[in-house]
Amino acid sequence: MALKATIFKATLNIADIDRAVYLDTSLTLARHPSETDQRLIVRLLAWVLNADEALTFTKGLCADDEPELWLKNLHGGIEHWIDVGLPDERRLKKACNRSEQVSLYTYGGRNVDLWWQQNEALLGKHDNLRIIDFPEDELTPLVALAERNMQWQVTISEGQLFISAGDANFSLTPSMRKEWKQ
């Protein structure tokens, strides 16, 4: 018998000062049986950093032709393709061809540096691709926040995230590995 996804609920209060986005929302995330809590938190952080009422989670690990998140326009075209992890270069090339903008959120410390060394030349050609790294030492404490029911208050200012969950307070400063070219 196949294992079923675990459902997580996140209630978020977001104040993104950098983008002038202020949003209260509730999200439902399905964690695939093979997915770690770390990856789940990275998916949630990717949503927070791109917060938009039209931004939706997809089938994720269950579908090769979909990102973790996407923002579609009214005609069904993909405006923003958002993925996490260290995908194959061909997947990102396909995403760049299908979407106006592509964001990749990486995590995993030294593995990210090795992956980038192998893929930098090919990925650097895509003007609509940006790659954001989550530092391992700042991400690790956030993984403890992965609960079936989460309530977060998130403030984003000057690229830094300040996250409050109950009595716990954390900060996270993602770094830009590759920026979109205008």
Side-chain angles (χ1 to χ4, degrees):
M1 185 166 113
L3 297 173
K4 294 186 179 189
T6 304
I7 302 301
F8 287 75
K9 303 270 185 183
T11 302
L12 304 172
N13 174 273
I14 300 170
D16 187 340
I17 297 165
D18 294 346
R19 296 187 310 133
V21 172
Y22 304 92
L23 188 63
D24 290 319
T25 191
S26 293
L27 301 174
T28 301
L29 294 92
R31 187 182 72 194
H32 190 274
S34 67
E35 185 176 28
T36 63
D37 283 345
Q38 185 179 39
R39 191 170 193 286
L40 176 84
I41 292 296
V42 169
R43 286 195 299 132
L44 183 57
L45 290 170
W47 195 98
V48 166
L49 285 166
N50 296 280
D52 188 300
E53 291 181 0
L55 185 62
T56 57
F57 289 99
T58 66
K59 295 176 185 170
L61 289 174
C62 298
D64 291 338
D65 61 341
E66 292 182 1
E68 294 298 331
L69 299 149
W70 58 21
L71 181 66
K72 289 187 168 187
N73 61 30
L74 296 174
H75 304 288
I78 304 169
E79 289 183 16
H80 196 171
W81 174 294
I82 301 170
D83 232 332
V84 302
L86 303 173
D88 184 81
E89 177 273 331
R90 293 178 303 242
R91 177 178 170 83
L92 289 173
K93 179 180 177 182
K94 182 178 176 181
C96 289
N97 290 333
R98 291 181 61 194
S99 178
E100 291 178 33
Q101 295 178 316
V102 176
S103 294
L104 173 65
Y105 291 89
T106 62
Y107 62 97
R110 181 159 157 60
N111 291 335
V112 177
D113 294 331
L114 295 172
W115 173 84
W116 182 243
Q117 286 175 358
Q118 294 171 352
N119 293 286
E120 180 178 11
L122 295 170
L123 295 178
K125 298 176 186 178
H126 302 291
D127 292 344
N128 63 337
L129 172 66
R130 73 175 177 174
I131 301 172
I132 301 98
D133 297 334
F134 288 123
E136 193 73 18
D137 60 331
E138 294 178 26
L139 185 60
T140 299
L142 288 173
V143 175
L145 298 178
E147 298 176 354
R148 299 284 299 270
N149 291 297
M150 298 178 269
Q151 292 187 355
W152 289 12
Q153 290 76 41
V154 182
T155 301
I156 303 168
S157 179
E158 297 181 10
Q160 189 171 15
L161 286 84
F162 301 94
I163 302 166
S164 296
D167 294 336
N169 295 300
F170 301 93
S171 65
L172 177 71
T173 307
S175 61
M176 190 68 63
R177 186 172 292 267
K178 181 186 178 310
E179 182 61 88
W180 291 317
K181 292 182 184 167
Q182 303 298 333

